[in-house]
Amino acid sequence: MKKSWMVVFVVAMSVSAGAGRAAAQGPAGAGATAAAESSSHTPHSYNPIKWVEKKPKTGNDWHDANSEPDKKLTAKLQGTGVLAANTNIAQACNTYKVLGDCLAALHASHSLALDFNCVKSDMTGVQTGADMSACKEPGGDKGVSLSKTIQLLKPGADAKAEAKNAEKQANEDLKEAGF
């Protein structure tokens, strides 16, 4: 007798648990699609990384040769010999989307005695008007990373270490200039 009551109790509990789950799944009918659509298009993101997004300065954010940070950066780089005396940062970096990438390329080309126009062309994928006959171009028309560019133009160098060092110098320059 106790066994039969136990079986009835277990069956009743499993039926009620299954009904609760089915009810929690929402309505099944014409309103179900409307309920599903309204809940999937929330305007607010629940990802906290997207709340505080720090984007690098790109494009027209920094291509102003007359801004104070650009003047400061140009003077510093010209003083150390990284940038030619007759060129400013806006002219040298006009095809780069991110200023930090251009500064790293300038530092790498200076420290490894590479032609900056070759480095610029390889990284951006944009051909400059300068003589490019001495440059080794990567396959395709897309730009490649600084370390791949260094490896292509100076095969004997430690490309990863040189790229990392150049990026570190570029970040320091950006901080000093106030970017």
Side-chain angles (χ1 to χ4, degrees), residues 16-178:
S16 67
R21 281 191 218 135
Q25 291 179 1
T33 56
E37 287 175 1
S38 66
S39 65
S40 66
H41 297 294
T42 57
H44 181 72
S45 172
Y46 293 110
N47 184 354
I49 298 298
K50 292 186 178 183
W51 296 345
V52 183
E53 188 173 327
K54 185 176 180 182
K55 296 182 180 179
K57 292 198 178 278
T58 61
N60 294 330
D61 294 345
W62 60 272
H63 281 300
D64 182 15
N66 295 323
S67 71
E68 193 61 36
D70 276 3
K71 288 179 183 178
K72 191 175 184 182
L73 190 57
T74 298
K76 180 185 185 234
L77 294 176
Q78 286 175 343
T80 58
V82 174
L83 188 63
N86 60 350
T87 307
N88 63 31
I89 276 295
Q91 292 168 337
C93 299
N94 61 354
T95 57
Y96 282 91
K97 291 182 181 177
V98 179
L99 179 58
D101 291 346
C102 178
L103 293 175
L106 280 165
H107 281 288
S109 63
H110 178 72
S111 65
L112 295 170
L114 299 172
D115 182 9
F116 177 68
N117 287 323
C118 293
V119 175
K120 181 178 181 179
S121 174
D122 288 354
M123 287 183 69
T124 62
V126 177
Q127 300 296 323
T128 62
D131 180 26
M132 305 298 285
S133 61
C135 300
K136 293 179 184 173
E137 299 294 322
D141 59 346
K142 291 189 176 188
V144 295
S145 69
L146 179 59
S147 95
K148 287 184 182 179
T149 299
I150 293 170
Q151 187 176 24
L152 185 66
L153 297 174
K154 195 150 194 160
D158 183 4
K160 287 184 181 180
E162 292 291 341
K164 189 173 184 177
N165 185 37
E167 289 166 357
K168 181 181 173 189
Q169 290 173 328
N171 286 333
E172 289 171 3
D173 289 343
L174 287 171
K175 284 180 185 176
E176 288 176 18

Side-chain angles (χ1 to χ4, degrees), residues 5-26:
W5 281 106
M6 187 63 92
V7 169
V8 169
F9 177 74
V10 169
V11 169
M13 291 302 291
S14 62
V15 168
S16 67
R21 281 191 218 135
Q25 291 179 1

